[in-house]
């Protein structure tokens, strides 16, 4: 069975979780990289992985790699690649360039390098078909990733990859409405996986639930509901690869994909039926957040499973007996005048945990300035990044 090299991207600091996930599949040569991992596997297995990955943001197929000394060589070497095996002139494209720090010093700009690759690709297709494909910045049929890094002997490594997913995998297709600080769904899933929550024994409480994302991801993890399930229900073309030549010209691969979809839908329906309504609890002081969360729960078919209530987290009492996990993604105090108020909120929150949540394990995703206001001893800390914000997931064992 022929294997191809791929790259899965993920939020910074979640690389090890991604690797743990990759090891659950028939995947080889796994190598951690900043913001993701590279690996080799078969076309069938990459489809299975895309359908089931909770941590990945995107998955790319490596097309070619080579070394260059200057911009001109990028065009010349890219022109040698058989682009007609990747796309047709009727399809649209977009190229994103990513360079490491050394490469940034050696070239004019990533935009110029992207233009050179685009010229090579379109010139090659025009030579074969007599017409060139067009660029679509917003909704391209094919998104190419051009990665350039410093090599030895004053040369640069060039890696050209093809995005297989289109809409990022972090978009689970159950969220609607507007929330001021939405957390990406793959980060929310990671928070659940980074706790010691036992789905068979523990209740799960989100004390500042916002749009309900962490709660939804926890429920899906418990019943092993594929993270792409709601995507599969929402659109006809679920992923970019469905329009790509390597997939459209392989009938057996298309049949395999359809069979995998059917498996996922069947297991998801069974999992949703298995969930009960006395394990997951969400609270938030803001009624608008509660309303948004309720809509998202309805979209995720979990509105009869997860209980929501408007309540101040500093006055929260356990909705059920321990054992259990109480988690929250705290506000970070980025707005002017918020920090002092939030410092007091965090102090009161910590005091409430000490007083009322004996027997629980508490997890907070917060920033250093606010974490200092909680007068509890941490039992573990994990550095994470929520968007552009450096934060820490801290654990408190409550006795």
């Amino acid at each position: 069975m022929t294997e191809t090299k791929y790259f899965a991207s993920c939020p910074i600091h979640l690389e090890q979780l991604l690797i743990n996930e990759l090891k659950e599949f028939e995947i080889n040569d796994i190598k951690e990289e900043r913001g993701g991992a590279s690996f080799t596997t078969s076309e069938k297995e990459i489809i299975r992985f895309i359908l089931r990955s909770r941590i990945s943001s995107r998955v790319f197929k490596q097309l070619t790699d080579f070394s260059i000394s200057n911009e001109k060589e990028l065009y010349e070497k890219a022109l040698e690649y058989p682009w007609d095996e990747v796309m047709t002139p009727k399809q649209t494209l977009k190229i994103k360039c990513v360079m490491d720090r050394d490469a940034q010093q050696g070239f004019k700009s990533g935009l110029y390098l992207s233009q050179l690759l685009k010229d090579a690709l379109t010139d090659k297709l025009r030579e074969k078909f007599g017409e060139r494909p067009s660029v679509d910045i917003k909704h391209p049929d094919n998104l190419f990733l051009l990665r350039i890094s410093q090599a030895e002997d004053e040369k640069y490594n060039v890696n050209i990859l093809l995005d297989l997913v289109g809409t990022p995998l972090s978009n689970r297709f159950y969220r609607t409405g507007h929330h001021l600080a939405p957390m990406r769904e793959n980060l929310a899933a990671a928070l659940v996986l980074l706790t010691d929550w036992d789905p068979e024994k523990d209740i799960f409480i989100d004390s500042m639930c916002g749009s309900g994302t962490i709660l939804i991801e926890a429920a899906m993890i418990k019943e092993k509901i594929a993270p792409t399930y709601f995507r599969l229900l929402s659109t006809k073309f679920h992923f970019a690869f469905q329009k790509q030549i390597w997939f459209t010209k392989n009938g057996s691969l298309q049949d395999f994909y359809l069979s995998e979809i059917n498996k996922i839908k069947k297991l998801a329906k069974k999992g949703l039926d298995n969930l009960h309504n006395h394990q997951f609890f969400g609270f938030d002081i803001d009624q608008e957040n509660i309303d948004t969360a309720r809509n998202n729960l309805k979209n995720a078919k979990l509105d009869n499973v997860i209980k929501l209530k408007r309540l101040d987290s500093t006055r929260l009492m356990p909705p059920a007996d321990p054992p259990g996990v109480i988690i929250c993604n705290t506000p970070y105090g980025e707005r002017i005048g918020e920090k002092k108020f939030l410092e007091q909120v965090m102090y009161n929150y910590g005091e409430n945990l000490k007083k009322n949540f004996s027997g629980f394990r508490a997890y907070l995703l917060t920033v250093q300035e606010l974490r200092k206001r909680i007068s509890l001893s941490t039992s573990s800390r994990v550095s994470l990044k929520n968007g552009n914000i450096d934060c820490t997931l801290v654990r408190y064992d409550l006795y």
Side-chain angles (χ1 to χ4, degrees):
M1 184 180 295
T2 303
E3 293 201 339
T4 303
K5 189 172 182 179
Y6 298 90
F7 175 78
S9 65
C10 68
I12 298 295
H13 301 309
L14 296 186
E15 293 89 349
Q16 189 55 55
L17 271 184
L18 175 61
I19 287 173
N20 293 344
E21 190 175 63
L22 286 164
K23 290 178 179 178
E24 297 175 5
F25 296 82
E26 294 179 11
I27 284 173
N28 303 308
D29 305 319
I30 300 171
K31 180 183 177 183
E32 180 178 341
E33 300 186 27
R34 178 175 171 79
S38 60
F39 54 93
T40 61
T41 192
S42 66
E43 291 178 336
K44 285 187 176 180
E45 199 66 8
I46 200 62
I47 288 174
R48 291 189 67 249
F49 176 74
I50 288 171
L51 287 168
R52 295 169 174 84
S53 176
R54 299 187 192 279
I55 304 301
S56 299
S57 299
R58 290 185 181 274
V59 178
F60 298 88
K61 178 181 182 180
Q62 179 173 298
L63 300 179
T64 185
D65 63 322
F66 48 81
S67 62
I68 61 172
S69 300
N70 52 58
E71 289 96 337
K72 183 181 178 182
E73 288 185 0
L74 173 60
Y75 174 84
E76 292 172 346
K77 293 191 176 184
L79 191 63
E80 297 173 2
Y81 189 77
W83 294 105
D84 58 295
E85 297 178 5
V86 178
M87 65 177 292
T88 73
K90 302 296 184 184
Q91 294 180 313
T92 58
L93 71 127
K94 177 183 176 180
I95 297 172
K96 179 181 179 181
C97 181
V98 177
M99 295 186 283
D100 69 8
R101 186 175 302 174
D102 292 326
Q104 290 174 18
Q105 300 297 319
F107 293 103
K108 295 177 182 179
S109 73
L111 183 62
Y112 179 61
L113 295 170
S114 296
Q115 182 72 31
L116 288 172
L117 176 57
K118 189 267 294 183
D119 289 344
L121 189 160
T122 56
D123 287 351
K124 187 79 169 187
L125 291 181
R126 182 176 59 181
E127 178 184 310
K128 186 174 181 66
F129 299 105
E131 58 180 317
R132 295 161 58 103
S134 58
V135 172
D136 185 340
I137 295 176
K138 292 185 177 180
H139 304 290
D141 294 317
N142 296 282
L143 170 63
F144 297 95
L145 179 63
L146 173 61
R147 301 178 75 195
I148 301 180
S149 58
Q150 177 75 61
E152 298 178 355
D153 302 325
E154 298 184 353
K155 289 193 175 186
Y156 299 91
N157 292 322
V158 175
N159 200 343
I160 303 174
L161 306 100
L162 175 64
D163 172 44
L164 301 184
V165 300
T167 301
L169 293 174
S170 55
N171 187 336
R172 310 285 206 239
F173 284 72
Y174 57 69
R175 296 207 304 201
T176 58
H178 175 71
H179 186 258
L180 285 176
M183 173 181 286
R184 296 308 322 168
E185 292 94 314
N186 55 347
L187 177 58
L191 294 184
V192 178
L193 295 172
L194 287 169
T195 71
D196 69 334
W197 177 55
D198 184 340
E200 301 307 316
K201 297 179 181 178
D202 295 333
I203 65 169
F204 190 93
I205 307 166
D206 188 341
S207 55
M208 300 182 190
C209 70
S211 61
T213 307
I214 297 175
L215 288 162
I216 294 172
E217 292 296 320
M220 293 176 71
I221 286 170
K222 176 179 179 177
E223 289 299 329
K224 297 180 176 58
I225 297 169
T228 56
Y229 173 60
F230 300 104
R231 177 191 293 239
L232 298 176
L233 299 180
S234 301
T235 60
K236 179 180 179 181
F237 288 101
H238 318 123
F239 303 101
F241 70 74
Q242 288 177 270
K243 296 182 179 181
Q244 293 168 359
I245 290 176
W246 67 273
F247 180 79
T248 59
K249 289 194 173 182
N250 190 329
S252 65
L253 204 57
Q254 294 173 54
D255 291 341
F256 174 79
Y257 174 62
L258 292 175
S259 70
E260 289 297 300
I261 287 178
N262 289 333
K263 287 179 187 177
I264 282 173
K265 289 181 177 179
K266 184 177 180 180
L267 290 173
K269 289 176 182 177
K270 182 180 178 181
L272 289 169
D273 289 341
N274 287 340
L275 288 166
H276 53 75
N277 64 0
H278 52 269
Q279 184 173 18
F280 300 95
F281 305 89
F283 303 91
D284 202 284
I285 196 172
D286 190 310
Q287 184 60 47
E288 186 175 347
N289 286 347
I290 291 292
D291 292 342
T292 299
R294 189 164 281 121
N295 285 334
N296 292 339
L297 293 182
K298 186 176 181 180
N299 293 335
K301 307 180 187 297
L302 294 170
D303 47 320
N304 293 323
V305 172
I306 298 173
K307 295 182 179 179
L308 297 178
K309 187 175 183 180
R310 182 184 178 186
L311 196 64
D312 183 348
S313 61
T314 65
R315 300 180 180 180
L316 179 64
M317 297 292 289
D321 293 333
V325 160
I326 177 168
I327 193 170
C328 73
N329 172 31
T330 74
Y332 301 146
E334 291 188 291
R335 296 185 183 89
I336 296 174
E338 267 191 340
K339 192 159 288 186
K340 284 193 175 295
F341 170 73
L342 288 177
E343 286 176 352
Q344 187 61 49
V345 170
M346 286 297 96
Y347 173 78
N348 293 341
Y349 182 78
E351 294 304 297
N352 188 52
L353 289 177
K354 283 194 292 186
K355 180 180 179 181
N356 295 312
F357 281 83
S358 177
F360 285 85
R361 292 98 65 206
Y363 290 85
L364 275 72
L365 183 67
T366 190
V367 292
Q368 184 176 1
E369 294 83 356
L370 297 179
R371 176 166 52 84
K372 292 177 180 177
R373 298 296 297 163
I374 296 179
S375 55
L376 289 165
S377 298
T378 60
S379 57
S380 68
R381 301 178 189 178
V382 179
S383 296
L384 295 171
K385 210 170 183 69
N386 188 0
N388 294 321
I389 301 172
D390 291 316
C391 46
T392 306
L393 180 66
V394 292
R395 169 178 167 168
Y396 303 102
D397 293 322
L398 306 172
Y399 303 105

